[in-house]
Amino acid sequence: KNQVEQSPQSLIILEGKNCTLQCNYTVSPFSNLRWYKQDTGRGPVSLTIMTFSENTKSNGRYTATLDADTKQSSLHITASQLSDSASYICVVSEGGNKLVFGAGTILRVKS
Amino acid sequence: DSGVTQTPKHLITATGQRVTLRCSPRSGDLSVYWYQQSLDQGLQFLIQYYNGEERAKGNILERFSAQQFPDLHSELNLSSLELGDSALYFCASSVEYSGIATQYFGPGTRLTVL
């Protein structure tokens, strides 16, 4: 069964600190992997999209990595800000626009 | 603001009823996707339309149906509603059909079934 598992389920960090969120997937075939940020009660916003040939992609303070061999991805957030508090969702595309969503990691950044 | 609009923002109805959720994609986007997000659960892909035609189907119940009109707006129809259908329903749009297309999500419609 195609699955996307994220860890940790939730995380609390101090403002200014770095953190890394993990994503493991068993989706096959694999087309691409995306990270989304979802603020409470709002629609997700795309952070990065990576194909199997890309192993790192950055978007400001967000850096995603992908290891297609081990089927793992991570999202690293540098110098966290209060506005980074949100749910971060890992999404893997089977191709043909079928997306498999992870349950998300809830990040809380506190001052 | 993603440019995707959804109406209504909130909807409260009773079990057994039928509702219609509406989505207007970003200008120029041909693909529309529908997702369901139940409380404390991940997003579930329901269905995708591209330029008026159904392109991909996910975990959509038979009680649910959708369509995309010639002006590219889309509607999701939910019938014989059950308590478990209470959720946030998101619409997303993208320019292309391809699997690499960036999807832009709307603000969602919160459906409460009493």
Side-chain angles (χ1 to χ4, degrees), chain B residues 12-72:
Chain B
I12 301 175
T13 188
T15 54
Q17 295 298 305
R18 173 189 170 94
V19 297
T20 297
L21 313 183
R22 183 188 168 101
C23 169
S24 292
R26 295 187 323 152
S27 177
D29 285 1
L30 300 178
S31 270
V32 170
Y33 311 75
W34 285 98
Y35 295 91
Q36 179 192 56
Q37 187 174 38
S38 301
L39 188 65
D40 295 331
Q41 291 192 17
L43 281 152
Q44 297 285 327
F45 168 66
L46 296 178
I47 197 164
Q48 181 214 354
Y49 280 82
Y50 178 78
N51 204 19
E53 293 188 9
E54 183 183 306
R55 284 299 191 184
K57 216 166 188 175
N59 302 319
I60 188 166
L61 300 173
E62 285 191 13
R63 299 184 286 109
F64 297 179
S65 65
Q67 54 184 330
Q68 185 180 27
F69 295 87
D71 67 352
L72 300 178

Side-chain angles (χ1 to χ4, degrees), chain B residues 60-85:
Chain B
I60 188 166
L61 300 173
E62 285 191 13
R63 299 184 286 109
F64 297 179
S65 65
Q67 54 184 330
Q68 185 180 27
F69 295 87
D71 67 352
L72 300 178
H73 91 271
S74 179
E75 292 181 355
L76 178 67
N77 300 295
L78 315 176
S79 62
S80 302
L81 285 168
E82 302 175 359
L83 296 177
D85 297 327

Side-chain angles (χ1 to χ4, degrees), chain A residues 13-97:
Chain A
I13 62 173
L14 288 174
E15 187 178 13
K17 296 297 186 184
N18 304 335
C19 67
T20 300
L21 314 181
Q22 301 291 342
C23 173
N24 296 336
Y25 61 93
T26 59
V27 176
S28 181
F30 173 85
S31 174
N32 58 78
L33 185 145
R34 309 155 186 240
W35 283 94
Y36 283 91
K37 177 187 179 188
Q38 184 178 22
D39 293 316
T40 303
R42 306 192 70 169
V45 174
S46 179
L47 295 175
T48 63
I49 300 177
M50 291 182 291
T51 62
F52 74 95
S53 61
E54 298 174 291
N55 52 27
T56 187
K57 199 161 222 181
S58 292
N59 178 357
R61 294 179 297 101
Y62 301 101
T63 300
T65 64
L66 173 64
D67 185 334
D69 291 331
T70 62
K71 298 188 176 182
Q72 296 179 325
S73 176
S74 65
L75 180 70
H76 186 75
I77 304 174
T78 303
S80 61
Q81 300 176 358
L82 296 178
S83 60
D84 292 331
S85 295
S87 177
Y88 291 84
I89 305 170
C90 175
V91 186
V92 179
S93 173
E94 298 177 21
N97 277 322

